Amino acid sequence: MKSFDPTDALTFFRLSFLVVICFWHAFPCQAEDLATQNKLLLQGKFEEAREGIEKLLPNAAFRQEALVAQSHLLEQTGDIQKALQLLAGEKNPSPQVLGRMAQLEFQLGKWDQALGHCEQGLKAHPDELLCRWIRGRIWFDSGELEKGLAEFL
């Protein structure tokens, strides 16, 4: 049986550290980039945000979050219909995308469609906040106060 040699562990650690350092700048953290784009949106720097979001769209890991950000950009520039069409084109929408679609549909007065997207999103993820919020708003605004309040609590 081979005994543990501390120098092997130290060598492994050094090599691992070297690999991390070498690739740290080669693959920028796209989550931080998405946060930066959202910050640009909030500051009203729409063109800069659009360019940054478009760079994130090809990455499958951040595609749906980038689509949601792009829908916020379109909404803030006055094109809610286009924002909704953008999200509706997604083949396998996440609960977050479904919640965003429901939010836009609610704003457009399409409550039945919004409620359907909320139900679909909550089926996949029962704690999706935006879906619960929009469903509660629809029920509350349509006079079903108890159902609406239960959704908010």
Side-chain angles (χ1 to χ4, degrees), residues 54-72:
E54 286 178 356
K55 289 178 186 175
L56 294 173
L57 284 172
N59 184 339
F62 291 97
R63 177 168 172 70
Q64 298 206 3
E65 290 87 350
L67 282 173
V68 169
Q70 194 170 32
S71 77
H72 281 286

Side-chain angles (χ1 to χ4, degrees), residues 1-134:
M1 181 175 195
K2 185 177 178 186
S3 64
F4 177 73
D5 184 6
T7 59
D8 289 343
L10 186 59
T11 302
F12 175 76
F13 175 75
R14 287 179 181 160
L15 285 174
S16 299
F17 185 72
L18 183 62
V19 168
V20 168
I21 295 299
C22 287
F23 289 105
W24 186 266
H25 297 287
F27 302 103
C29 180
Q30 298 207 332
E32 289 178 11
D33 288 347
L34 188 58
T36 301
Q37 304 321 311
N38 284 326
K39 190 175 183 180
L40 289 170
L41 277 175
L42 293 172
Q43 294 171 346
K45 299 177 181 177
F46 300 131
E47 189 59 33
E48 292 175 51
R50 185 191 58 75
E51 290 172 5
I53 291 168
E54 286 178 356
K55 289 178 186 175
L56 294 173
L57 284 172
N59 184 339
F62 291 97
R63 177 168 172 70
Q64 298 206 3
E65 290 87 350
L67 282 173
V68 169
Q70 194 170 32
S71 77
H72 281 286
L73 171 66
L74 289 168
E75 178 189 17
Q76 290 178 9
T77 55
D79 205 347
I80 295 177
Q81 255 337 75
K82 190 172 180 182
L84 187 56
Q85 290 171 353
L86 173 77
L87 296 172
E90 189 63 16
K91 292 180 183 164
N92 295 316
S94 67
Q96 182 184 14
V97 169
L98 291 167
R100 179 67 177 140
M101 288 173 65
Q103 184 180 33
L104 293 170
E105 290 163 343
F106 178 76
Q107 291 176 10
L108 292 170
K110 301 176 180 179
W111 288 8
D112 291 334
Q113 291 172 328
L115 195 55
H117 283 121
C118 287
E119 297 297 336
Q120 191 179 353
L122 289 169
K123 190 181 292 183
H125 189 266
D127 294 327
E128 179 60 37
L129 179 63
L130 190 53
C131 288
R132 291 183 67 89
W133 180 261
I134 297 300

